[in-house]
Amino acid sequence: MLDQSPVGPENDGYIGYMVSDVARLMRTVFDRRVRDIGLTRAQWLVLTRLYRRPGASQTELASMLEIDRASAGRLIDRMERAGWVERRADQVDRRINRLFLTSEARRAHADMWQVAVATVDDALAALSPEERSQFTDLTGRVKSRLQALAGAAA
């Protein structure tokens, strides 16, 4: 049985460290690759969140990005000026602006998605197709468990 003790920096095999390192390294490689198509991390995070949740409010986007509303507002302002995001008044509550990607941003998202797929393929290249499938299944199960725990804690 593997020692899963988190104590000490010498234990690089601890699953918590590995999961964190894998996520960080995936973001680092992806960041470098999307920089070539003109996107910063903040921009690709907004594109991803609004692609998945078109019409989110500024408050909802701030929550998804795990930043405060003022920071989200400044980011949205910059992206709106750049032609990436448009604000539309909520049909029920005019005080709320709903956020949508522009056609230019949707094209950038499509380019970004190709980079994401290539990055994951490169990262998982050392795994056989069976291992990759198993890894995907196991990761999905862990994610589901964590979502349940996070929901229980909320």
Side-chain angles (χ1 to χ4, degrees):
M1 183 166 154
L2 291 175
D3 176 17
Q4 292 296 308
S5 169
V7 179
E10 69 283 350
N11 195 346
D12 288 337
Y14 176 62
I15 189 74
Y17 293 153
M18 287 191 297
V19 168
S20 178
D21 286 348
V22 166
R24 179 183 51 79
L25 289 165
M26 289 279 285
R27 281 190 308 273
T28 298
V29 171
F30 182 74
D31 281 349
R32 288 179 185 157
R33 291 177 175 186
V34 295
R35 197 175 305 132
D36 292 340
I37 59 174
L39 293 172
T40 66
R41 178 176 289 186
Q43 289 171 326
W44 69 254
L45 285 169
V46 170
L47 291 180
T48 300
R49 298 314 187 270
L50 291 179
Y51 182 84
R52 294 176 81 183
R53 295 257 331 264
S57 70
Q58 182 172 312
T59 300
E60 291 166 338
L61 181 63
S63 177
M64 287 184 273
L65 297 174
E66 299 179 344
I67 60 176
D68 62 76
R69 290 185 338 191
S71 296
R74 289 188 297 273
L75 177 58
I76 294 162
D77 288 343
R78 286 192 305 273
M79 291 188 73
E80 187 176 38
R81 282 191 302 273
W84 295 86
V85 172
E86 69 179 46
R87 288 177 165 111
R88 298 181 198 159
D90 184 275
Q91 293 181 351
V92 175
D93 185 345
R94 296 265 187 226
R95 295 172 297 175
I96 298 173
N97 284 311
R98 298 290 170 186
L99 304 170
F100 295 89
L101 297 179
T102 64
S103 57
E104 180 182 348
R106 285 192 298 278
R107 282 190 298 277
H109 183 272
D111 293 342
M112 183 184 76
W113 187 252
Q114 291 177 345
V115 173
V117 169
T119 301
V120 170
D121 284 344
D122 289 345
L124 300 181
L127 302 179
S128 71
E130 295 79 20
E131 290 170 325
R132 185 174 173 158
S133 178
Q134 184 178 26
F135 180 75
T136 301
D137 178 59
L138 294 172
T139 304
R141 287 169 44 196
V142 170
K143 178 183 175 182
S144 293
R145 174 67 178 146
L146 289 169
Q147 287 171 323
L149 290 171

